[in-house]
Every structure is written in C-alpha cells, then in structure tokens.
C-alpha cells in the first residue's frame, strides 16, 4: 500500500515538474519571439550579452569539439578498416562512405550535442543557479529587467545558432580524422577513401545532422536555464541543479535524436 | 503611500505571514523589527512584488502593486519607482561596479556612455565611494558591496526604498556609517523607506516609526520614542535582547 502511494507521489511530482518545464519553455519562447520581433531595440539592449554567449557557447567549445570529432573519426575508420579488410576480405573501397554516413547523420550531431551539454549546459546551470541563490535574479527584476529576457533569451539563441556551426566543423574534422587513419594506418589511397563519398553522401545527410543540432541546442538551453533559475538551497543546490541539467539535457538529446531521425526518415 | 492589507504567506506547512496590516506614509522611514526567520524579509519581498501573497493585497498610491514574481515580470512602469537593497547586496558578479550602478539607466536608454559614467560616479560618491567605478564586485569588502548595492538601487531616483537587513554582517562602525547613509539619502531623495532589521541601534537612529513583526502579524507599532517606552512584554524583550520572555528562542 505504501509502495503504491510512493509510486503515485513520484508520478505526480514528475507530472508537476513536466508542467513547470512546459510553462517555462512557453515563456522563454515567447520572450525570444519578442526579442526577434524588434531586433534593433533588442540588440541595442542585449547585443553585448548575446555576443558574449555566442563566444562562450560557440568559440570556446571549438577545441574540445574538434578533438572529440578527430578521434571519433579516427576510431571509426580503424573499426571500419578492420571490419572491411579482415571480415569482408578487402572491400576497403567502401571505407569513405562507412565513415562519412554515420558520422554526418549521427555521431557528429549527437557527440557535439553531448559535449556542449556537458561543457556549456553545466556552466549555464551553475551561473544562473548562483545568481538565483544570491538574489541577483531578484535584483534584475527590481531594476526593471525581466530575467528571462536578459539571461534566458541570449543563451537560447546562442545555443541554437552555435550548435550547427560546431557540428559542421566536427563533421569536417571527423571525416579528415578517418582519412588520416585510412591513409597512414591502413595504407588506403586518397582517391579510394574519398572516391564514392560525393555519390553516397547527400546534402540531406549533412543538413539533417545540422538541423538536429539546432534542436539539441534548444534542449540544452531550455533544460539548463530552467534548472538554473529554479535553484534553491545555496552551494549544494547549485551542485544539484548543475547535475540535473547535464543529465536531463543529455537524456533528452538521445531521446530527441531517435524521434528526430524517425521524423526525418518520413519527411526526407 | 504603501498599504498592506491582510497579507498571508506560507511556504509549505510554514505560515510565515498570518494577516499583516501596515501603512507606510509618504516621506517617512518605517522600521520593521522582528526575530530572525520571523518573516521580515518575506514581508519586504511581498511589498516589493517579488513574492505574491497567498491572501491579502499591497497597494501603492491606491493602485495594486505590480507582481514581479515570475521570470517575465519587471517591465511594469511602477517597477522603477521602487529600489531594493538586498541583504547580500546582490551585485552582478560579471559586471563592473560602475556597470552595476548604471544598469537600470543603461537599459532604459537615452543616455550616452559618458553620461552614464558620470551618473554612476555621482551615486557612488553619494554613498561615500570614490575610485571604484572600474573595479569588480569581488574586489570589494562586505561594507563596500552594500554601499554599491545602495548606489545601484537609488540610481534611478526611486520614490520608495526598501532595505533588507542593511547592516547584517557589518561591524558596529560600518553599521553606523550605513545608518548615516540611509539618513542622508532620505534627506537627499525625499523618498519613502522601509527598513527591515533586528539591529536596534540602526532602528532607533533611522526610523520615524517602528513596528514589531511577531508570530506573522504586526504586534506593535509606534513613533520612535513612544515605541521605546511601550508597556509591552514582547516589545521590551526584543528591545533589550533578552532570551527569557514571551518570544521563544528558536
């Protein structure tokens, strides 16, 4: 009986939390629409904050994203090479497409999303959480500035804008990493590795990956700002909010990836 | 004029405010006394609009107080009439002292950077700070942070100034300096002020009227000297800081 009551309580708490997140998302999107509706005024007021976020979320994430993409491309080529060479007896002419297709469609977007969720999402939640517990969020209100507009909108726009850019860079570097291994380790000529890539890889493969990461950017921004603004309980609360932000944005990226892939399969 | 009528506020099972009625007359400084954790800051946040009351209402000059409780709130025209000095100053860590002070004016628009700097330096001088415009909040002492918080709060010439425990964490000399500052700003701005504190020296120095919040209600209120002489066990226990008496030590 008490187990059933506990499960009911947990289900109710989950539904309440989901409702609050949905309400928060609605408000953040409404503020973003208001921001975009009057771009000159918005940029005069918050252009500096937006540029700062573009730099923090985008430019500063480039090194870690590229290193991850390079080695993922390399290990993908190594695995593909071993499979094609040893198990399929020398069909290494398919090496390029074997690296390119999964990388552009899945690995590039998902890995970039997860890395940014860990690196940037945690920073967003920790920064906003600290501002919440030290009353800086309340101070914004008393100074006539809606916190969602000043703190939330620039982070959402920066995440949505920069994730596709980072993914595009990761795609290029990942394919290059695959080529380095194919060429130097497996001794495959460049024309064999790159040979059928242009025929097999379409603009849709590349574009669908970038489109996915724009959605991943929105997921990271919404979840992490929601957790940050909702922080209570001092330093311990900031730690809890940061952990929740990274865990939930990572899970939602993976779940969202499945549904986006299924949806794009129907549409494209 | 600020009118507080029948305000109730609870957090879960904890009923913090249980029907607060209060009037704050234009131009006066009202001090709200009360035990730690007794709901003084909650009352101030309800008056500021940062918390919505569960029941009751706050009216400012006869009109309902705008709510700032949501993350989208704050654009209402009445917001600029209020200034709030937070207990921990709540300075924006990522902005310089000068940018903190001129924050509201910058976002309001219509001032060039030179004018904004001049106004920020003037307000900093009002609170006794010079040469700190370009410093970051982390470089300041606790007392200096409170002064910067005050300079930021008054930058836009507010009609109402709300002080949340302005001397908490400060030594007696710094506390007295803050009290002098409150008096000088009151004279300069002619604003209406509410000071929430349990610092009796501050209360008797700056308050035109004093009231005591006890068990979620205003237990007693009186002009400064009358308050000191009130024949009330709760008031006298609080004024003299005795552990024994009707106020239970938590």
């Amino acid at each position: 009986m008490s187990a059933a009551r506990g499960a009911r309580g947990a289900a109710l708490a989950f539904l309440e939390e989901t409702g609050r997140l949905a309400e928060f998302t609605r408000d953040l999107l409404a503020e973003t629409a208001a921001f975009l509706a009057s771009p000159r005024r918005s940029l005069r007021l918050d252009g500096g904050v937006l540029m700062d976020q573009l730099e923090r979320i985008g430019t500063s994430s480039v090194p870690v994203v590229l290193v991850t993409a390079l080695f993922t491309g390399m290990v993908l080529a190594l695995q593909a090479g071993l499979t094609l060479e040893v198990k399929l007896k020398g069909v290494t002419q398919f090496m390029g497409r074997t690296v390119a297709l999964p990388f552009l469609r899945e690995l590039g977007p998902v890995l970039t999303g997860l890395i940014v969720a860990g690196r940037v999402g945690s920073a967003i939640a920790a920064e906003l959480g600290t501002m919440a517990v030290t009353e800086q969020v309340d101070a914004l209100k008393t100074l006539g500035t809606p916190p969602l507009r000043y703190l939330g909108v620039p982070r959402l726009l920066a995440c949505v804008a920069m994730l596709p850019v980072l993914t595009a860079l990761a795609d290029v570097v990942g394919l290059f990493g695959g080529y380095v291994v194919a060429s130097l380790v497996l001794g495959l000529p460049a024309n064999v590795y790159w040979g059928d890539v242009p025929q097999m890889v379409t603009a849709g493969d590349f574009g669908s990956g970038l489109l996915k990461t724009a959605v991943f950017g929105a997921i990271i921004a919404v979840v992490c700002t929601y957790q940050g603004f909702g922080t209570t309980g001092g330093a311990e609360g900031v730690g809890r909010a940061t952990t929740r932000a990274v865990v939930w944005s990572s899970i939602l990226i993976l779940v969202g990836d499945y549904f986006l892939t299924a949806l794009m399969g129907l549409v494209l | 004029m600020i009118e507080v009528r029948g305000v109730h506020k609870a957090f879960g099972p904890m009923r913090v405010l249980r029907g607060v009625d209060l009037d704050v007359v234009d131009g006066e400084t009202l001090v709200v006394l009360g035990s730690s954790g007794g709901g003084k800051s909650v009352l101030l946040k309800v008056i500021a609009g940062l918390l919505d009351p569960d029941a009751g209402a706050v009216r400012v000059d006869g009109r309902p107080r705008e709510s700032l409780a949501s993350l989208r709130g704050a654009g209402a025209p009445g917001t600029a009439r209020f200034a709030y000095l937070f207990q921990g100053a709540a300075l924006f860590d990522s902005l310089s002292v000068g940018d903190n002070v001129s924050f509201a004016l910058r976002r309001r628009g219509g001032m060039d950077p030179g004018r904004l700097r001049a106004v920020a330096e003037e307000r900093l001088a009002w609170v006794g700070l010079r040469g700190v415009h370009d410093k970051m909040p982390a470089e300041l002492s606790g007392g200096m942070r409170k002064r910067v918080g005050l300079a930021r709060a008054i930058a836009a010439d507010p009609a109402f100034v709300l002080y949340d425990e302005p001397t908490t964490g400060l030594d007696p000399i710094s506390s007295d300096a803050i009290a002098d500052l409150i008096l000088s700003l009151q004279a300069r701005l002619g604003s209406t002020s509410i000071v929430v504190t349990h610092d009796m020296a501050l209360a008797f120095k700056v308050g035109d009227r004093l009231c005591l919040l006890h068990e979620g209600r205003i237990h007693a209120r009186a002009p400064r000297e009358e308050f000191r002489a009130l024949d009330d066990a709760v008031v006298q226990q609080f004024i003299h800081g005795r552990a024994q008496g009707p106020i239970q030590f938590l």
Side-chain angles (χ1 to χ4, degrees):
Chain A
M1 194 65 185
S2 65
R5 202 176 299 141
R8 185 169 170 271
L12 277 176
F14 177 76
L15 287 175
E16 276 176 13
E17 185 72 7
T18 306
R20 278 194 292 268
L21 178 60
E23 202 176 345
F24 176 85
T25 307
R26 180 202 64 197
D27 289 350
L28 183 56
L29 292 178
E31 283 292 333
T32 306
F35 182 100
L36 295 174
S38 51
R40 282 186 63 183
R41 181 176 178 277
S42 300
L43 287 174
R44 179 180 61 76
L45 277 177
D46 298 317
V49 186
L50 180 60
M51 288 304 292
D52 183 47
Q53 290 303 319
L54 287 169
E55 196 278 325
R56 280 205 236 177
I57 291 166
T59 318
S60 302
S61 299
V62 167
V64 65
V65 166
L66 294 194
V67 169
T68 308
L70 181 71
F71 280 91
T72 305
M74 287 168 69
V75 82
L76 198 57
L78 199 58
Q79 289 284 12
L82 290 173
T83 306
L84 296 173
E85 181 72 38
V86 178
K87 300 213 170 162
L88 297 175
K89 306 298 177 206
V91 282
T92 46
Q93 68 270 29
F94 301 130
M95 172 76 89
R97 73 172 73 164
T98 311
V99 173
L101 282 174
F103 203 98
L104 298 183
R105 285 181 181 175
E106 290 301 328
L107 282 172
V110 172
L111 280 177
T112 305
L114 292 176
I115 287 165
V116 173
R119 185 190 172 278
V120 173
S122 58
I124 289 174
E127 185 180 8
L128 298 191
T130 303
M131 290 186 76
V133 299
T134 55
E135 298 184 308
Q136 292 178 54
V137 172
D138 281 345
L140 277 175
K141 296 178 188 176
T142 64
L143 294 168
T145 302
L148 263 190
R149 169 65 76 96
Y150 183 69
L151 298 171
V153 173
R155 283 163 175 79
L156 175 64
L157 291 175
C159 281
V160 171
M162 294 315 287
L163 259 285
V165 175
L166 290 169
T167 305
L169 291 173
D171 287 346
V172 172
V173 171
L175 294 194
F176 177 74
Y179 167 67
V180 168
V181 169
S183 170
L184 298 181
V185 179
L186 304 171
L188 207 63
N191 62 331
V192 175
Y193 179 83
W194 297 111
D196 65 349
V197 170
Q199 283 80 45
M200 294 305 298
V201 176
T202 64
D205 295 321
F206 186 65
S208 67
L210 299 192
L211 194 61
K212 275 185 194 176
T213 50
V215 177
F216 296 164
I219 288 173
I220 293 167
V222 168
V223 171
C224 297
T225 52
Y226 172 73
Q227 290 295 342
F229 280 127
T231 303
T232 53
E236 195 185 344
V238 173
R240 274 198 306 268
T242 307
T243 306
R244 275 200 303 266
V246 174
V247 169
W248 278 106
S249 49
S250 300
I251 288 172
L252 287 176
I253 284 171
L254 294 171
V255 173
D257 182 48
Y258 173 81
F259 288 105
L260 285 170
T261 304
L263 189 67
M264 285 171 178
L266 291 175
V267 175
L268 296 175
Chain B
M1 181 175 180
I2 299 173
E3 298 160 87
V4 180
R5 292 287 175 271
V7 163
H8 288 252
K9 185 71 187 172
F11 298 94
M14 196 186 302
R15 294 168 61 214
V16 180
L17 302 179
R18 305 177 196 179
V20 174
D21 291 298
L22 198 62
D23 288 328
V24 190
V25 182
D26 284 345
E28 78 165 339
T29 298
L30 175 75
V31 172
V32 180
L33 295 164
S35 320
S36 299
K40 304 186 298 294
S41 294
V42 171
L43 174 60
L44 204 62
K45 286 189 174 176
V46 169
I47 292 171
L50 291 169
L51 291 173
D52 289 333
D54 299 333
V58 176
R59 299 178 74 81
V60 179
D61 294 339
R63 272 176 280 181
R65 176 78 175 99
E66 300 92 347
S67 172
L68 304 180
S70 88
L71 290 167
R72 294 184 74 184
T79 308
R81 300 182 64 208
F82 274 81
Y84 198 110
L85 177 62
F86 289 86
Q87 205 167 331
L91 301 181
F92 304 129
D93 300 326
S94 56
L95 300 182
S96 70
V97 166
D99 285 345
N100 263 282
V101 174
S102 59
F103 186 86
L105 297 172
R106 192 169 56 252
R107 292 190 67 80
R108 198 182 290 176
M111 277 195 194
D112 61 63
R115 177 78 188 121
L116 285 171
R117 186 181 180 97
V119 171
E121 287 184 337
E122 181 192 52
R123 296 302 193 272
L124 286 166
W126 284 8
V127 298
L129 291 173
R130 290 178 199 282
V132 298
H133 185 280
D134 297 318
K135 286 185 184 295
M136 297 303 286
E139 298 175 71
L140 306 179
S141 68
M144 290 168 86
R145 290 171 69 89
K146 291 235 175 182
R147 284 166 182 252
V148 174
L150 194 47
R152 182 179 67 181
I154 59 168
D157 298 327
F160 305 96
V161 187
L162 311 179
Y163 300 87
D164 188 2
E165 306 271 13
T167 57
T168 296
L170 300 181
D171 62 79
I173 295 168
S174 300
S175 297
D176 193 52
I178 290 283
D180 286 341
L181 206 53
I182 291 172
L183 289 172
S184 73
L185 290 175
Q186 176 72 14
R188 198 188 292 264
L189 297 169
S191 50
T192 305
S193 303
I194 303 176
V195 181
V196 152
T197 187
H198 46 62
D199 177 344
M200 297 312 301
L202 172 76
F204 282 114
K205 186 160 184 172
V206 304
D208 297 315
R209 282 194 306 141
L210 280 69
C211 64
L212 178 66
L213 183 67
H214 176 58
E215 295 180 340
R217 294 185 186 88
I218 299 298
H219 176 82
R221 73 194 85 194
R224 178 169 44 197
E225 291 311 318
E226 288 176 33
F227 189 88
R228 199 192 294 270
L230 279 178
D231 182 18
D232 182 290
V234 174
V235 171
Q236 291 305 319
Q237 184 192 356
F238 196 87
I239 289 175
H240 295 101
R242 289 191 290 260
Q244 283 75 36
I247 304 176
Q248 296 298 306
F249 177 70
L250 298 174

